PDB file of all heavy atoms in Angstrom:
ATOM      1  N   ASP A   1       0.859  -1.181   0.000  1.00  0.00           N
ATOM      2  CA  ASP A   1       0.000   0.000   0.000  1.00  0.00           C
ATOM      3  C   ASP A   1       0.898   1.235   0.000  1.00  0.00           C
ATOM      4  O   ASP A   1       1.570   1.515   0.987  1.00  0.00           O
ATOM      5  CB  ASP A   1      -0.900  -0.030   1.243  1.00  0.00           C
ATOM      6  CG  ASP A   1      -1.676   1.265   1.439  1.00  0.00           C
ATOM      7  OD1 ASP A   1      -1.959   1.933   0.441  1.00  0.00           O
ATOM      8  OD2 ASP A   1      -1.984   1.602   2.610  1.00  0.00           O
ATOM      9  N   LEU A   2       0.933   1.967  -1.121  1.00  0.00           N
ATOM     10  CA  LEU A   2       1.783   3.151  -1.249  1.00  0.00           C
ATOM     11  C   LEU A   2       0.941   4.407  -1.107  1.00  0.00           C
ATOM     12  O   LEU A   2      -0.060   4.581  -1.826  1.00  0.00           O
ATOM     13  CB  LEU A   2       2.499   3.174  -2.599  1.00  0.00           C
ATOM     14  CG  LEU A   2       3.509   2.050  -2.869  1.00  0.00           C
ATOM     15  CD1 LEU A   2       2.823   0.892  -3.597  1.00  0.00           C
ATOM     16  CD2 LEU A   2       4.672   2.563  -3.702  1.00  0.00           C
ATOM     17  N   ALA A   3       1.350   5.275  -0.184  1.00  0.00           N
ATOM     18  CA  ALA A   3       0.652   6.543   0.007  1.00  0.00           C
ATOM     19  C   ALA A   3       0.989   7.514  -1.128  1.00  0.00           C
ATOM     20  O   ALA A   3       1.652   7.156  -2.109  1.00  0.00           O
ATOM     21  CB  ALA A   3       1.010   7.131   1.363  1.00  0.00           C
ATOM     22  N   GLU A   4       0.538   8.778  -0.989  1.00  0.00           N
ATOM     23  CA  GLU A   4       0.594   9.722  -2.108  1.00  0.00           C
ATOM     24  C   GLU A   4       2.006   9.987  -2.629  1.00  0.00           C
ATOM     25  O   GLU A   4       2.240   9.997  -3.843  1.00  0.00           O
ATOM     26  CB  GLU A   4      -0.049  11.058  -1.678  1.00  0.00           C
ATOM     27  CG  GLU A   4      -1.539  11.004  -1.456  1.00  0.00           C
ATOM     28  CD  GLU A   4      -1.903  10.628  -0.031  1.00  0.00           C
ATOM     29  OE1 GLU A   4      -0.995  10.237   0.745  1.00  0.00           O
ATOM     30  OE2 GLU A   4      -3.083  10.717   0.314  1.00  0.00           O
ATOM     31  N   ILE A   5       2.967  10.237  -1.739  1.00  0.00           N
ATOM     32  CA  ILE A   5       4.303  10.614  -2.208  1.00  0.00           C
ATOM     33  C   ILE A   5       5.055   9.430  -2.810  1.00  0.00           C
ATOM     34  O   ILE A   5       5.681   9.571  -3.878  1.00  0.00           O
ATOM     35  CB  ILE A   5       5.082  11.301  -1.074  1.00  0.00           C
ATOM     36  CG1 ILE A   5       4.438  12.675  -0.811  1.00  0.00           C
ATOM     37  CG2 ILE A   5       6.556  11.455  -1.423  1.00  0.00           C
ATOM     38  CD1 ILE A   5       5.022  13.448   0.333  1.00  0.00           C
ATOM     39  N   PRO A   6       5.047   8.229  -2.208  1.00  0.00           N
ATOM     40  CA  PRO A   6       5.648   7.083  -2.908  1.00  0.00           C
ATOM     41  C   PRO A   6       4.991   6.807  -4.251  1.00  0.00           C
ATOM     42  O   PRO A   6       5.663   6.393  -5.196  1.00  0.00           O
ATOM     43  CB  PRO A   6       5.448   5.922  -1.930  1.00  0.00           C
ATOM     44  CG  PRO A   6       5.346   6.553  -0.594  1.00  0.00           C
ATOM     45  CD  PRO A   6       4.645   7.855  -0.835  1.00  0.00           C
ATOM     46  N   THR A   7       3.682   7.043  -4.338  1.00  0.00           N
ATOM     47  CA  THR A   7       3.015   6.884  -5.630  1.00  0.00           C
ATOM     48  C   THR A   7       3.526   7.908  -6.628  1.00  0.00           C
ATOM     49  O   THR A   7       3.762   7.589  -7.803  1.00  0.00           O
ATOM     50  CB  THR A   7       1.487   7.020  -5.461  1.00  0.00           C
ATOM     51  OG1 THR A   7       0.999   5.948  -4.649  1.00  0.00           O
ATOM     52  CG2 THR A   7       0.785   6.972  -6.803  1.00  0.00           C
ATOM     53  N   ALA A   8       3.729   9.152  -6.166  1.00  0.00           N
ATOM     54  CA  ALA A   8       4.262  10.183  -7.065  1.00  0.00           C
ATOM     55  C   ALA A   8       5.651   9.800  -7.563  1.00  0.00           C
ATOM     56  O   ALA A   8       6.022  10.129  -8.697  1.00  0.00           O
ATOM     57  CB  ALA A   8       4.304  11.527  -6.340  1.00  0.00           C
ATOM     58  N   GLN A   9       6.430   9.095  -6.732  1.00  0.00           N
ATOM     59  CA  GLN A   9       7.762   8.673  -7.156  1.00  0.00           C
ATOM     60  C   GLN A   9       7.707   7.621  -8.268  1.00  0.00           C
ATOM     61  O   GLN A   9       8.694   7.413  -8.964  1.00  0.00           O
ATOM     62  CB  GLN A   9       8.539   8.122  -5.960  1.00  0.00           C
ATOM     63  CG  GLN A   9       8.962   9.207  -4.973  1.00  0.00           C
ATOM     64  CD  GLN A   9       9.745   8.639  -3.804  1.00  0.00           C
ATOM     65  OE1 GLN A   9       9.188   8.051  -2.890  1.00  0.00           O
ATOM     66  NE2 GLN A   9      11.047   8.824  -3.828  1.00  0.00           N
ATOM     67  N   LEU A  10       6.566   6.970  -8.427  1.00  0.00           N
ATOM     68  CA  LEU A  10       6.413   6.013  -9.522  1.00  0.00           C
ATOM     69  C   LEU A  10       6.294   6.709 -10.869  1.00  0.00           C
ATOM     70  O   LEU A  10       6.491   6.095 -11.917  1.00  0.00           O
ATOM     71  CB  LEU A  10       5.177   5.129  -9.288  1.00  0.00           C
ATOM     72  CG  LEU A  10       5.214   4.190  -8.085  1.00  0.00           C
ATOM     73  CD1 LEU A  10       3.873   3.489  -7.925  1.00  0.00           C
ATOM     74  CD2 LEU A  10       6.331   3.165  -8.241  1.00  0.00           C
ATOM     75  N   GLY A  11       5.945   8.005 -10.851  1.00  0.00           N
ATOM     76  CA  GLY A  11       5.814   8.755 -12.100  1.00  0.00           C
ATOM     77  C   GLY A  11       4.692   8.213 -12.978  1.00  0.00           C
ATOM     78  O   GLY A  11       3.640   7.794 -12.504  1.00  0.00           O
ATOM     79  N   ARG A  12       4.956   8.179 -14.269  1.00  0.00           N
ATOM     80  CA  ARG A  12       3.927   7.743 -15.221  1.00  0.00           C
ATOM     81  C   ARG A  12       3.764   6.234 -15.268  1.00  0.00           C
ATOM     82  O   ARG A  12       2.975   5.720 -16.059  1.00  0.00           O
ATOM     83  CB  ARG A  12       4.254   8.276 -16.619  1.00  0.00           C
ATOM     84  CG  ARG A  12       4.132   9.798 -16.702  1.00  0.00           C
ATOM     85  CD  ARG A  12       4.299  10.284 -18.135  1.00  0.00           C
ATOM     86  NE  ARG A  12       4.087  11.710 -18.216  1.00  0.00           N
ATOM     87  CZ  ARG A  12       2.905  12.285 -18.400  1.00  0.00           C
ATOM     88  NH1 ARG A  12       1.824  11.524 -18.518  1.00  0.00           N
ATOM     89  NH2 ARG A  12       2.801  13.595 -18.467  1.00  0.00           N
ATOM     90  N   ALA A  13       4.500   5.521 -14.419  1.00  0.00           N
ATOM     91  CA  ALA A  13       4.335   4.065 -14.365  1.00  0.00           C
ATOM     92  C   ALA A  13       2.921   3.685 -13.943  1.00  0.00           C
ATOM     93  O   ALA A  13       2.432   2.607 -14.303  1.00  0.00           O
ATOM     94  CB  ALA A  13       5.345   3.453 -13.395  1.00  0.00           C
ATOM     95  N   ILE A  14       2.223   4.576 -13.224  1.00  0.00           N
ATOM     96  CA  ILE A  14       0.860   4.249 -12.786  1.00  0.00           C
ATOM     97  C   ILE A  14      -0.140   4.312 -13.939  1.00  0.00           C
ATOM     98  O   ILE A  14      -1.307   3.922 -13.774  1.00  0.00           O
ATOM     99  CB  ILE A  14       0.395   5.168 -11.641  1.00  0.00           C
ATOM    100  CG1 ILE A  14       0.343   6.632 -12.094  1.00  0.00           C
ATOM    101  CG2 ILE A  14       1.296   5.013 -10.433  1.00  0.00           C
ATOM    102  CD1 ILE A  14      -0.245   7.564 -11.051  1.00  0.00           C
ATOM    103  N   ASP A  15       0.301   4.776 -15.116  1.00  0.00           N
ATOM    104  CA  ASP A  15      -0.587   4.778 -16.273  1.00  0.00           C
ATOM    105  C   ASP A  15      -0.702   3.400 -16.911  1.00  0.00           C
ATOM    106  O   ASP A  15      -1.586   3.168 -17.729  1.00  0.00           O
ATOM    107  CB  ASP A  15      -0.104   5.793 -17.320  1.00  0.00           C
ATOM    108  CG  ASP A  15      -0.285   7.227 -16.848  1.00  0.00           C
ATOM    109  OD1 ASP A  15      -1.033   7.433 -15.875  1.00  0.00           O
ATOM    110  OD2 ASP A  15       0.333   8.133 -17.440  1.00  0.00           O
ATOM    111  N   ASP A  16       0.204   2.490 -16.577  1.00  0.00           N
ATOM    112  CA  ASP A  16       0.153   1.113 -17.077  1.00  0.00           C
ATOM    113  C   ASP A  16       0.173   0.191 -15.862  1.00  0.00           C
ATOM    114  O   ASP A  16       1.215  -0.331 -15.463  1.00  0.00           O
ATOM    115  CB  ASP A  16       1.334   0.829 -18.003  1.00  0.00           C
ATOM    116  CG  ASP A  16       1.209  -0.520 -18.724  1.00  0.00           C
ATOM    117  OD1 ASP A  16       0.351  -1.327 -18.311  1.00  0.00           O
ATOM    118  OD2 ASP A  16       1.985  -0.760 -19.672  1.00  0.00           O
ATOM    119  N   LEU A  17      -0.983  -0.010 -15.259  1.00  0.00           N
ATOM    120  CA  LEU A  17      -1.067  -0.738 -13.996  1.00  0.00           C
ATOM    121  C   LEU A  17      -0.654  -2.205 -14.111  1.00  0.00           C
ATOM    122  O   LEU A  17       0.041  -2.713 -13.218  1.00  0.00           O
ATOM    123  CB  LEU A  17      -2.475  -0.613 -13.405  1.00  0.00           C
ATOM    124  CG  LEU A  17      -2.881   0.805 -12.988  1.00  0.00           C
ATOM    125  CD1 LEU A  17      -4.316   0.827 -12.474  1.00  0.00           C
ATOM    126  CD2 LEU A  17      -1.936   1.348 -11.930  1.00  0.00           C
ATOM    127  N   PRO A  18      -1.053  -2.953 -15.156  1.00  0.00           N
ATOM    128  CA  PRO A  18      -0.600  -4.351 -15.249  1.00  0.00           C
ATOM    129  C   PRO A  18       0.923  -4.476 -15.306  1.00  0.00           C
ATOM    130  O   PRO A  18       1.509  -5.343 -14.641  1.00  0.00           O
ATOM    131  CB  PRO A  18      -1.262  -4.849 -16.539  1.00  0.00           C
ATOM    132  CG  PRO A  18      -2.480  -3.986 -16.692  1.00  0.00           C
ATOM    133  CD  PRO A  18      -2.052  -2.638 -16.208  1.00  0.00           C
ATOM    134  N   ALA A  19       1.571  -3.608 -16.095  1.00  0.00           N
ATOM    135  CA  ALA A  19       3.032  -3.658 -16.176  1.00  0.00           C
ATOM    136  C   ALA A  19       3.661  -3.278 -14.844  1.00  0.00           C
ATOM    137  O   ALA A  19       4.658  -3.887 -14.406  1.00  0.00           O
ATOM    138  CB  ALA A  19       3.527  -2.722 -17.280  1.00  0.00           C
ATOM    139  N   LEU A  20       3.078  -2.280 -14.174  1.00  0.00           N
ATOM    140  CA  LEU A  20       3.577  -1.875 -12.863  1.00  0.00           C
ATOM    141  C   LEU A  20       3.493  -3.029 -11.868  1.00  0.00           C
ATOM    142  O   LEU A  20       4.450  -3.315 -11.139  1.00  0.00           O
ATOM    143  CB  LEU A  20       2.778  -0.673 -12.352  1.00  0.00           C
ATOM    144  CG  LEU A  20       3.038  -0.246 -10.902  1.00  0.00           C
ATOM    145  CD1 LEU A  20       4.479   0.235 -10.736  1.00  0.00           C
ATOM    146  CD2 LEU A  20       2.040   0.833 -10.473  1.00  0.00           C
ATOM    147  N   ALA A  21       2.345  -3.711 -11.835  1.00  0.00           N
ATOM    148  CA  ALA A  21       2.158  -4.812 -10.905  1.00  0.00           C
ATOM    149  C   ALA A  21       3.149  -5.941 -11.174  1.00  0.00           C
ATOM    150  O   ALA A  21       3.783  -6.471 -10.248  1.00  0.00           O
ATOM    151  CB  ALA A  21       0.723  -5.338 -10.998  1.00  0.00           C
ATOM    152  N   GLY A  22       3.313  -6.320 -12.438  1.00  0.00           N
ATOM    153  CA  GLY A  22       4.231  -7.399 -12.775  1.00  0.00           C
ATOM    154  C   GLY A  22       5.664  -7.079 -12.389  1.00  0.00           C
ATOM    155  O   GLY A  22       6.382  -7.917 -11.836  1.00  0.00           O
ATOM    156  N   ARG A  23       6.071  -5.846 -12.662  1.00  0.00           N
ATOM    157  CA  ARG A  23       7.446  -5.448 -12.361  1.00  0.00           C
ATOM    158  C   ARG A  23       7.683  -5.388 -10.845  1.00  0.00           C
ATOM    159  O   ARG A  23       8.695  -5.894 -10.337  1.00  0.00           O
ATOM    160  CB  ARG A  23       7.719  -4.081 -12.983  1.00  0.00           C
ATOM    161  CG  ARG A  23       9.135  -3.592 -12.817  1.00  0.00           C
ATOM    162  CD  ARG A  23       9.388  -2.365 -13.679  1.00  0.00           C
ATOM    163  NE  ARG A  23       8.472  -1.266 -13.370  1.00  0.00           N
ATOM    164  CZ  ARG A  23       7.468  -0.887 -14.168  1.00  0.00           C
ATOM    165  NH1 ARG A  23       7.244  -1.516 -15.313  1.00  0.00           N
ATOM    166  NH2 ARG A  23       6.691   0.112 -13.825  1.00  0.00           N
ATOM    167  N   GLU A  24       6.758  -4.791 -10.110  1.00  0.00           N
ATOM    168  CA  GLU A  24       6.936  -4.657  -8.668  1.00  0.00           C
ATOM    169  C   GLU A  24       6.866  -6.013  -7.965  1.00  0.00           C
ATOM    170  O   GLU A  24       7.611  -6.268  -7.015  1.00  0.00           O
ATOM    171  CB  GLU A  24       5.868  -3.711  -8.095  1.00  0.00           C
ATOM    172  CG  GLU A  24       6.007  -2.269  -8.546  1.00  0.00           C
ATOM    173  CD  GLU A  24       7.308  -1.633  -8.060  1.00  0.00           C
ATOM    174  OE1 GLU A  24       7.720  -1.900  -6.916  1.00  0.00           O
ATOM    175  OE2 GLU A  24       7.925  -0.889  -8.846  1.00  0.00           O
ATOM    176  N   CYS A  25       5.974  -6.887  -8.415  1.00  0.00           N
ATOM    177  CA  CYS A  25       5.875  -8.212  -7.783  1.00  0.00           C
ATOM    178  C   CYS A  25       7.108  -9.065  -8.072  1.00  0.00           C
ATOM    179  O   CYS A  25       7.560  -9.831  -7.214  1.00  0.00           O
ATOM    180  CB  CYS A  25       4.610  -8.925  -8.259  1.00  0.00           C
ATOM    181  SG  CYS A  25       3.083  -8.218  -7.593  1.00  0.00           S
ATOM    182  N   ALA A  26       7.664  -8.926  -9.271  1.00  0.00           N
ATOM    183  CA  ALA A  26       8.893  -9.663  -9.591  1.00  0.00           C
ATOM    184  C   ALA A  26      10.042  -9.185  -8.716  1.00  0.00           C
ATOM    185  O   ALA A  26      10.860  -9.990  -8.238  1.00  0.00           O
ATOM    186  CB  ALA A  26       9.234  -9.486 -11.063  1.00  0.00           C
ATOM    187  N   THR A  27      10.107  -7.881  -8.463  1.00  0.00           N
ATOM    188  CA  THR A  27      11.132  -7.348  -7.572  1.00  0.00           C
ATOM    189  C   THR A  27      10.906  -7.811  -6.143  1.00  0.00           C
ATOM    190  O   THR A  27      11.851  -8.171  -5.431  1.00  0.00           O
ATOM    191  CB  THR A  27      11.126  -5.806  -7.626  1.00  0.00           C
ATOM    192  OG1 THR A  27      11.375  -5.380  -8.962  1.00  0.00           O
ATOM    193  CG2 THR A  27      12.182  -5.231  -6.703  1.00  0.00           C
ATOM    194  N   THR A  28       9.637  -7.834  -5.723  1.00  0.00           N
ATOM    195  CA  THR A  28       9.305  -8.269  -4.368  1.00  0.00           C
ATOM    196  C   THR A  28       9.715  -9.713  -4.128  1.00  0.00           C
ATOM    197  O   THR A  28      10.211 -10.073  -3.051  1.00  0.00           O
ATOM    198  CB  THR A  28       7.794  -8.104  -4.120  1.00  0.00           C
ATOM    199  OG1 THR A  28       7.457  -6.711  -4.175  1.00  0.00           O
ATOM    200  CG2 THR A  28       7.388  -8.670  -2.765  1.00  0.00           C
ATOM    201  N   ALA A  29       9.527 -10.586  -5.133  1.00  0.00           N
ATOM    202  CA  ALA A  29       9.837 -12.014  -4.981  1.00  0.00           C
ATOM    203  C   ALA A  29      11.279 -12.239  -4.571  1.00  0.00           C
ATOM    204  O   ALA A  29      11.595 -13.183  -3.820  1.00  0.00           O
ATOM    205  CB  ALA A  29       9.535 -12.755  -6.277  1.00  0.00           C
ATOM    206  N   ARG A  30      12.171 -11.363  -5.023  1.00  0.00           N
ATOM    207  CA  ARG A  30      13.587 -11.524  -4.691  1.00  0.00           C
ATOM    208  C   ARG A  30      13.896 -11.182  -3.241  1.00  0.00           C
ATOM    209  O   ARG A  30      14.974 -11.499  -2.732  1.00  0.00           O
ATOM    210  CB  ARG A  30      14.433 -10.661  -5.632  1.00  0.00           C
ATOM    211  CG  ARG A  30      14.359 -11.106  -7.087  1.00  0.00           C
ATOM    212  CD  ARG A  30      15.447 -10.443  -7.910  1.00  0.00           C
ATOM    213  NE  ARG A  30      15.206  -9.027  -8.111  1.00  0.00           N
ATOM    214  CZ  ARG A  30      14.546  -8.516  -9.147  1.00  0.00           C
ATOM    215  NH1 ARG A  30      14.022  -9.329 -10.070  1.00  0.00           N
ATOM    216  NH2 ARG A  30      14.385  -7.211  -9.263  1.00  0.00           N
ATOM    217  N   GLY A  31      12.942 -10.522  -2.566  1.00  0.00           N
ATOM    218  CA  GLY A  31      13.171 -10.143  -1.174  1.00  0.00           C
ATOM    219  C   GLY A  31      12.401 -10.973  -0.174  1.00  0.00           C
ATOM    220  O   GLY A  31      12.408 -10.665   1.026  1.00  0.00           O
ATOM    221  N   LEU A  32      11.715 -12.033  -0.631  1.00  0.00           N
ATOM    222  CA  LEU A  32      10.943 -12.900   0.262  1.00  0.00           C
ATOM    223  C   LEU A  32      11.668 -14.235   0.405  1.00  0.00           C
ATOM    224  O   LEU A  32      11.890 -14.930  -0.604  1.00  0.00           O
ATOM    225  CB  LEU A  32       9.528 -13.116  -0.263  1.00  0.00           C
ATOM    226  CG  LEU A  32       8.690 -11.842  -0.502  1.00  0.00           C
ATOM    227  CD1 LEU A  32       7.304 -12.223  -1.016  1.00  0.00           C
ATOM    228  CD2 LEU A  32       8.586 -10.994   0.765  1.00  0.00           C
ATOM    229  N   ASP A  33      12.035 -14.598   1.613  1.00  0.00           N
ATOM    230  CA  ASP A  33      12.757 -15.847   1.870  1.00  0.00           C
ATOM    231  C   ASP A  33      11.857 -16.804   2.648  1.00  0.00           C
ATOM    232  O   ASP A  33      11.348 -16.457   3.723  1.00  0.00           O
ATOM    233  CB  ASP A  33      14.021 -15.579   2.681  1.00  0.00           C
ATOM    234  CG  ASP A  33      15.047 -14.768   1.904  1.00  0.00           C
ATOM    235  OD1 ASP A  33      15.008 -14.825   0.658  1.00  0.00           O
ATOM    236  OD2 ASP A  33      15.861 -14.079   2.541  1.00  0.00           O
ATOM    237  N   LEU A  34      11.667 -18.007   2.089  1.00  0.00           N
ATOM    238  CA  LEU A  34      10.829 -19.027   2.729  1.00  0.00           C
ATOM    239  C   LEU A  34      11.619 -20.329   2.817  1.00  0.00           C
ATOM    240  O   LEU A  34      12.319 -20.703   1.860  1.00  0.00           O
ATOM    241  CB  LEU A  34       9.549 -19.254   1.908  1.00  0.00           C
ATOM    242  CG  LEU A  34       8.572 -20.303   2.421  1.00  0.00           C
ATOM    243  CD1 LEU A  34       7.896 -19.850   3.702  1.00  0.00           C
ATOM    244  CD2 LEU A  34       7.525 -20.612   1.340  1.00  0.00           C
ATOM    245  N   SER A  35      11.518 -20.996   3.941  1.00  0.00           N
ATOM    246  CA  SER A  35      12.188 -22.297   4.084  1.00  0.00           C
ATOM    247  C   SER A  35      11.320 -23.235   4.905  1.00  0.00           C
ATOM    248  O   SER A  35      10.535 -22.798   5.756  1.00  0.00           O
ATOM    249  CB  SER A  35      13.556 -22.129   4.753  1.00  0.00           C
ATOM    250  OG  SER A  35      13.423 -21.669   6.083  1.00  0.00           O
ATOM    251  N   ALA A  36      11.436 -24.535   4.620  1.00  0.00           N
ATOM    252  CA  ALA A  36      10.713 -25.579   5.353  1.00  0.00           C
ATOM    253  C   ALA A  36      11.720 -26.624   5.794  1.00  0.00           C
ATOM    254  O   ALA A  36      12.477 -27.155   4.954  1.00  0.00           O
ATOM    255  CB  ALA A  36       9.626 -26.205   4.479  1.00  0.00           C
ATOM    256  N   ALA A  37      11.761 -26.885   7.080  1.00  0.00           N
ATOM    257  CA  ALA A  37      12.695 -27.851   7.669  1.00  0.00           C
ATOM    258  C   ALA A  37      14.138 -27.534   7.277  1.00  0.00           C
ATOM    259  O   ALA A  37      14.933 -28.419   6.975  1.00  0.00           O
ATOM    260  CB  ALA A  37      12.322 -29.268   7.254  1.00  0.00           C
TER     261      ALA A  37
END
C-alpha cells in the first residue's frame, strides 16, 4: 500500500497498472525468503 508521495515517485508508471504490478511483484519475490525444515 503506497501513500501519495511514494506513488508520485512512480511517475507515469501508474498509467500502465498491469506492467507496474508485474514489475513490482517480480522485484518483491527476490526479497521474500521461505524455508521448510
Side-chain angles (χ1 to χ4, degrees):
D1 171 29
L2 296 93
E4 291 89 351
I5 291 176
T7 295
Q9 288 181 283
L10 295 175
R12 293 187 176 272
I14 62 174
D15 290 344
D16 189 346
L17 295 177
L20 172 64
R23 184 169 58 253
E24 293 296 321
C25 289
T27 301
T28 296
R30 295 193 289 269
L32 303 180
D33 294 335
L34 179 69
S35 65

